[in-house]
Amino acid sequence: MSTRDARASGARHRRKPGRAAALLAALLLAGCLVPQDSDDRGDGRASRTAAREVPLRVQEQFGQTLAFVPVSIEGQGPFMFALDTGASMSVVDDDVADRAGLERTGERRAVSGILSTGEVAVVEVTHWEVGDLPLAPGELTLIDLGPPPGGGTMQGLLGSDVLSDFGSITIDYDEGVLEIPAS
């Protein structure tokens, strides 16, 4: 799979050093994020008529930028999941999995990240949404994420395994939205 680059709508967003470290053990391997093709309205801004929007909470902590979206699982939540385009597998915190009644598959997967490597449990999710947009049933790796540095709540990570299903997405840090192309 080729590497694709991310962009923020409007002014360019500068990456800050060590951003990945703020995602704790923001596990896993490389993912991808693709700019959304859009119609030009003539004023230099992209048209949003062809995209579905999910609210995005951008949080600056200790010089790190985190982008969170609301995710509902099995009718519970919403839970705050960090967008992690560098994660090849999506992750759910073990407390969230218990609240949502997610069943463990019995499988364990090897994961590696910035801070550690190991094997983690896998859970099945049949009904879940990012914002009000349904996601395909699938499997999530189960990890005790604990609180992010500086407080706040990170209850999961949406990785490239889920985000790549949309073909392309746009993270608009200025407007606070995740734009997903209409199907």
Side-chain angles (χ1 to χ4, degrees):
M1 173 159 63
S2 64
T3 302
R4 300 174 183 169
D5 54 343
R7 71 170 170 91
S9 298
R12 293 224 180 252
H13 179 75
R14 292 194 177 103
R15 290 183 123 188
K16 299 194 166 105
R19 178 177 172 188
L23 293 176
L24 299 171
L27 312 172
L28 321 174
L29 307 171
C32 54
L33 180 69
V34 184
Q36 175 182 331
D37 293 331
S38 58
D39 299 327
D40 187 3
R41 296 187 302 194
D43 62 0
R45 297 184 319 172
S47 168
R48 294 188 184 183
T49 58
R52 295 168 287 177
E53 295 183 351
V54 175
L56 178 74
R57 187 179 83 210
V58 179
Q59 201 170 338
E60 301 278 340
Q61 296 180 26
F62 299 106
Q64 310 302 313
T65 302
L66 302 173
F68 293 94
V69 291
V71 174
S72 298
I73 302 172
E74 308 296 350
Q76 301 292 311
F79 304 105
M80 296 313 292
F81 275 48
L83 294 178
D84 188 351
T85 60
S88 61
M89 293 182 284
S90 294
V91 171
V92 64
D93 183 76
D94 53 4
D95 290 335
V96 170
D98 289 343
R99 271 181 63 189
L102 298 179
E103 295 288 327
R104 292 178 186 232
T105 65
E107 179 186 355
R108 296 188 65 78
R109 290 198 183 141
V111 296
S112 62
I114 298 166
L115 302 176
S116 65
T117 61
E119 286 194 352
V120 296
V122 176
V123 293
E124 280 189 67
V125 61
T126 55
H127 297 93
W128 61 322
E129 301 89 29
V130 58
D132 61 359
L133 180 65
L135 299 172
E139 296 178 337
L140 301 171
T141 53
L142 184 63
I143 296 176
D144 180 7
L145 291 172
T153 302
M154 181 185 317
Q155 298 168 302
L157 304 172
L158 268 187
S160 64
D161 58 333
V162 172
L163 297 173
S164 65
D165 287 347
F166 300 114
S168 67
I169 64 172
T170 299
I171 301 171
D172 188 332
Y173 290 94
D174 294 330
E175 297 296 322
V177 293
L178 169 65
E179 296 177 354
I180 300 171
S183 47

